[in-house]
Amino acid sequence: MTESMTAATFRQRFGGGKGRPRSRHKPGEMNKTEARYAGELERMKTSGLIVDWWFESVTFKLADDTRYTPDFMLMHTSGELEFHETKGF
């Protein structure tokens, strides 16, 4: 027999944050953590540490139906590209 329970009961039994689901990421829109990091990248660009940076500009195909889009792509003064991922937890 399958037991049904409310979301509140589920959170009480198994945990689950602040009681609200995380919102889905909208491609091309930065969350607060990404926006703060973008500010840091702008400071790096202004100081000459990097040439430029781009947000969600590249998507890699890893396997069939498996893709990965890093948050940021940076170009160093040497021309080297580097990918950065930000997490809010």
Side-chain angles (χ1 to χ4, degrees), residues 4-57:
S4 68
M5 64 180 80
T6 66
T9 303
F10 181 87
R11 282 190 305 276
Q12 184 180 22
R13 287 188 187 175
F14 305 106
K18 300 177 183 176
R20 60 189 149 115
R22 289 179 20 182
S23 60
R24 281 190 71 86
H25 172 73
K26 297 179 182 112
E29 290 184 22
M30 290 186 202
N31 62 32
K32 291 177 187 176
T33 302
E34 292 163 341
R36 282 192 305 269
Y37 193 65
E40 181 61 30
L41 293 175
E42 271 302 309
R43 286 187 285 282
M44 291 172 69
K45 181 178 171 183
T46 301
S47 68
L49 295 173
I50 61 173
V51 175
D52 211 348
W53 63 271
W54 299 269
F55 178 69
E56 293 186 342
S57 62

Side-chain angles (χ1 to χ4, degrees), residues 47-74:
S47 68
L49 295 173
I50 61 173
V51 175
D52 211 348
W53 63 271
W54 299 269
F55 178 69
E56 293 186 342
S57 62
V58 176
T59 298
F60 296 101
K61 183 177 179 181
L62 304 177
D64 289 342
D65 297 323
T66 306
R67 288 171 174 64
Y68 168 65
T69 303
D71 291 333
F72 295 96
M73 180 173 74
L74 291 67

